[in-house]
Amino acid sequence: MRFSQAFVPTEKEAPKDAVLPSHIYLTRAGFIAQVASGLYNYLPLGKRVLKKIEAVINEEMAHAGAQEVELSFVTPAELWEESGRIEKFGKELLRFKDRKENLFVLGPTHEEMMVNLVRNRVTSYKQLPLNLYQIKTKFRDEARPRFGLMRAREFVMKDGYSFHASTEDLDREFAAMEAAYKRILERLGLDFRIVEADSGAIGGSGSKELMVIADSGEDTLAVCDTCEYGANIEAARRGERRTVPEAPEADFNKFETPDVKSIGELAAFFHVDPYYTLKAVAKRAVYEDGDEVVVFFLRGSDELQEVKAVNAAGALDLVDVGEEELVALGLVPGFIGPLDLEGVRMIFDEDVRDAKQMICGANEKDAHFVGVDLSVLPKQTQYAELYEVKAGDACPQCGGELTFTKGIEVGHIFKLGTVYSAPLKAEFLNENGKAEPFVMGTYGMGVSRLVAAVIEQHHDDRGCIWTKTTAPYLVNIMVSNVKDEAQMELGEELYAALRAAGVETMIDDRRERFGFKMKDAELIGFPLTVIIGKELANGNIQLYDRAAGEKTDVPAAEAYTRITEWIG
């Protein structure tokens, strides 16, 4: 492509609301242009990057045996009503009616549509397994779209769905898709981790996220410094504690503890480690058909992880409860304990199961119990993982140390089971001729988000630094002075030779000064810029490696060879 003919409107100023490097540089370098809040046009350079990422995904999906389809962007609302998700998804689901008053939605994800495509068309176990995917525009009416392509309302997503006759076969396909996704990110030149995650609104189990490591990431990840274990903070687990504080020794008794309400005050009052205190966290759990107050109990040395708590309660959300409301329920704020507590639902952290020598609230003002043995709790007591991991905790897989880092979610894979196939009555006949719902998996990857993720991980204060796989053009031939016949002749010669060799090449033949062209080259982020300038009179040119930030003098006669060697 000739720069003089290309539509690449570079800009000096960043958008006023841009804070992330990807938003700033993709806009300034002429890759994207904002239309409205959360809506973006892709300019020629941006479209080339998008198509390159799509090509890598398509190649790896073909290698894994998945088949590409394309489903309608507009989805009948009745399918979402069948699955029960039309209200669960909330206001992010954009609804509209056609001229005949039929209700439709703009698809934010396509589980229902894909199940509808397969049901009654795949009817026997002999037709399974089946893995179908699409790369498609999606729409979610985000309340606060921000960060450019990172959190837009309209976005491009690869979503795949697999159908199986058994959970064992789903496990096999899930592992195959995880491996395929790893290959995609490796080919794109990204540093990433695959981490355990919460299933969220999609449902199912066996949820894993693909996280590109970046300081600008919205997600906090707990990763092991020894093995490959990683998890979103919402789902992170820990191994056995390396050291356990010495336990206090006390017979069961009730003590007066005037104005001792916090865990810190309680531990100081009894001169014990918070590990042996029982923290009570009261929340109002919100369900589809109502709400209730739930008290979560965990060790005083731990903090409640709210997503884990939401899942344990089977709720849609948890909201804070005021002291007046607690008192109205007969609870004593600051002194809530599990013994003889009636009229309220309780959920305990697994780490306090059968714990001994605990100190907890006595459900009386200014009173606590000591020497509490929690093994006396009823057998029907509910336990779940409620704690939030901390930096320094032991890895649950190898015992190494967990550290925190930030990540950008670019993919999410789930073992859905029959969450969608059962309510949508998508069934097949098994070996015995009996109808069963499909066992399903789903595999999503944010294609447009990957465009931004590459730049979040690969940029400097001058602009983008594209990896070789994702660059809109691999080589940029920059002719410093287009009026110089020798410079222009060599530029055209290299341009023709590289294009003939299948190398994606841009020739900067604009009548602009060197500094202006160089700033554009760095802003756009071409992996290699060939600088043909004054040194050509001495028989030399320069090769500028954008990632390394190095310029190398090369004899003009060796230019083509050295360029192809660099490409590899």
Side-chain angles (χ1 to χ4, degrees), residues 247-255 270 272 339 356-360 368-373:
E249 293 185 11
D251 293 331
F252 178 75
N253 208 339
K254 183 165 66 176
F255 270 78
F270 286 105
V272 299
L339 304 184
K356 295 177 173 57
Q357 294 297 340
M358 299 296 289
I359 299 173
C360 67
H368 281 83
F369 288 126
V370 300
V372 176
D373 180 356

Side-chain angles (χ1 to χ4, degrees), residues 59-81:
E59 287 172 13
E60 291 299 339
M61 288 301 100
H63 178 74
Q67 301 174 68
E68 186 176 13
V69 298
E70 183 157 345
L71 305 183
S72 173
F73 180 36
V74 175
T75 305
E78 62 192 41
L79 292 177
W80 283 71
E81 290 168 354

Side-chain angles (χ1 to χ4, degrees), residues 75-85 110-120 163 416 418-427 436-438 440:
T75 305
E78 62 192 41
L79 292 177
W80 283 71
E81 290 168 354
E82 278 189 71
S83 70
R85 274 209 304 175
H110 274 63
E111 280 81 3
E112 287 84 356
M113 282 284 279
M114 195 68 83
V115 171
N116 184 57
L117 180 71
V118 170
R119 65 177 173 181
N120 301 323
F163 299 82
L416 290 175
T418 60
V419 169
Y420 293 92
S421 56
L424 288 163
K425 295 182 174 56
E427 299 174 334
E436 291 184 17
F438 294 108
M440 291 179 60

Side-chain angles (χ1 to χ4, degrees), residues 231-521:
N232 194 303
I233 192 71
E234 298 170 351
R237 297 172 292 113
R238 67 187 175 206
E240 292 185 9
R241 297 177 187 266
R242 296 188 178 89
T243 58
V244 176
E246 185 178 352
E249 293 185 11
D251 293 331
F252 178 75
N253 208 339
K254 183 165 66 176
F255 270 78
E256 289 188 9
T257 52
D259 294 322
V260 177
K261 295 183 178 181
S262 72
I263 291 296
E265 292 168 344
L266 187 63
F269 185 89
F270 286 105
H271 304 287
V272 299
D273 192 284
Y275 179 81
Y276 291 102
T277 65
L278 192 65
K279 179 182 291 184
V281 182
K283 295 283 185 178
R284 179 166 294 281
V286 180
Y287 309 102
E288 284 187 42
D289 54 356
D291 58 74
E292 66 175 338
V293 171
V294 180
V295 180
F296 300 92
F297 290 101
L298 63 163
R299 290 191 185 272
S301 54
D302 286 327
E303 297 296 331
L304 181 71
Q305 213 308 307
E306 289 216 4
V307 173
K308 290 182 178 180
V310 166
N311 293 337
L316 299 176
D317 193 16
L318 294 177
V319 295
D320 293 334
V321 184
E323 287 196 5
E324 292 183 1
E325 192 174 358
L326 293 176
V327 171
L329 289 170
L331 302 175
V332 186
F335 301 93
I336 300 173
L339 304 184
D340 301 321
L341 184 63
E342 297 179 353
V344 66
R345 182 181 177 189
M346 297 183 288
I347 303 178
F348 291 77
D349 185 45
E350 283 285 0
D351 201 28
V352 299
R353 187 190 288 268
D354 298 334
K356 295 177 173 57
Q357 294 297 340
M358 299 296 289
I359 299 173
C360 67
N363 297 312
E364 295 179 18
K365 183 175 172 56
D366 297 334
H368 281 83
F369 288 126
V370 300
V372 176
D373 180 356
L374 294 179
S375 65
V376 304
L377 294 175
K379 288 185 179 180
Q380 65 269 27
T381 297
Q382 182 181 353
Y383 292 90
E385 279 193 0
L386 301 174
Y387 64 85
E388 183 165 283
V389 299
K390 297 187 289 288
D393 282 348
C395 170
Q397 289 188 359
C398 74
E401 188 170 299
L402 294 179
T403 60
F404 287 160
T405 188
K406 289 289 186 178
I408 299 168
E409 180 191 340
V410 295
H412 207 155
I413 58 179
F414 306 83
K415 294 179 182 179
L416 290 175
T418 60
V419 169
Y420 293 92
S421 56
L424 288 163
K425 295 182 174 56
E427 299 174 334
F428 67 98
L429 296 180
N430 65 18
E431 292 177 332
N432 299 316
K434 182 180 178 181
E436 291 184 17
F438 294 108
V439 180
M440 291 179 60
T442 184
Y443 319 95
M445 180 167 275
V447 183
S448 50
R449 180 174 279 201
L450 276 167
V451 175
V454 172
I455 300 308
E456 288 303 316
Q457 202 171 80
H458 300 278
H459 70 271
D460 60 17
D461 59 0
R462 295 185 296 277
C464 305
I465 304 175
W466 294 102
T467 62
K468 289 183 179 180
T469 304
T470 58
Y473 292 93
L474 189 58
V475 177
N476 172 41
I477 299 172
M478 191 174 74
V479 181
S480 298
N481 182 6
V482 296
K483 294 179 181 179
D484 186 306
E485 291 185 8
Q487 289 184 26
M488 200 63 203
E489 184 179 348
L490 178 59
E492 293 287 1
E493 182 183 315
L494 288 173
Y495 179 56
L498 290 169
R499 291 185 70 197
V503 178
E504 294 174 311
T505 307
M506 174 82 79
I507 181 169
D508 195 342
D509 58 347
R510 294 176 295 172
R511 294 178 178 274
E512 299 285 355
R513 51 190 171 78
F514 171 81
F516 182 86
K517 290 183 176 183
M518 195 64 200
K519 284 184 178 179
D520 269 1

Side-chain angles (χ1 to χ4, degrees), residues 11 13-19 23-28 34 40:
E11 301 174 8
E13 301 297 327
K16 291 181 180 180
D17 62 339
V19 292
H23 191 185
I24 294 168
Y25 292 137
L26 289 174
T27 303
R28 284 191 56 212
Q34 185 168 340
Y40 292 87

Side-chain angles (χ1 to χ4, degrees), residues 15-163:
K16 291 181 180 180
D17 62 339
V19 292
L20 293 189
S22 61
H23 191 185
I24 294 168
Y25 292 137
L26 289 174
T27 303
R28 284 191 56 212
F31 285 82
I32 61 173
Q34 185 168 340
V35 181
S37 178
L39 304 178
Y40 292 87
N41 288 332
Y42 288 85
L43 281 62
L45 292 184
K47 183 63 175 177
R48 288 182 69 87
V49 174
L50 197 67
K51 289 179 71 68
K52 284 194 162 192
I53 294 172
E54 290 177 2
V56 172
I57 293 171
N58 282 324
E59 287 172 13
E60 291 299 339
M61 288 301 100
H63 178 74
Q67 301 174 68
E68 186 176 13
V69 298
E70 183 157 345
L71 305 183
S72 173
F73 180 36
V74 175
T75 305
E78 62 192 41
L79 292 177
W80 283 71
E81 290 168 354
E82 278 189 71
S83 70
R85 274 209 304 175
I86 193 160
E87 295 305 327
K88 284 183 183 179
F89 220 86
K91 292 184 178 180
E92 288 185 6
L93 188 65
L94 187 63
R95 303 160 172 85
F96 67 96
K97 291 183 177 180
D98 66 7
R99 67 179 67 194
K100 296 180 180 179
E101 293 299 305
N102 295 312
L103 184 63
F104 293 88
V105 304
L106 292 185
T109 180
H110 274 63
E111 280 81 3
E112 287 84 356
M113 282 284 279
M114 195 68 83
V115 171
N116 184 57
L117 180 71
V118 170
R119 65 177 173 181
N120 301 323
R121 291 184 175 89
V122 175
T123 57
S124 168
Y125 75 94
K126 295 178 182 179
Q127 297 169 276
L128 300 174
L130 180 66
N131 190 327
L132 303 175
Y133 79 97
Q134 63 174 348
I135 296 176
K136 185 79 174 178
T137 297
K138 301 284 195 292
F139 187 90
R140 293 185 185 181
D141 201 3
E142 292 274 0
R144 291 181 60 231
R146 58 197 187 278
F147 308 143
L149 299 183
M150 204 60 72
R151 189 171 289 279
R153 290 194 293 168
E154 183 179 279
F155 53 95
V156 180
M157 179 180 172
K158 177 267 171 183
D159 53 324
Y161 308 88
S162 63
F163 299 82

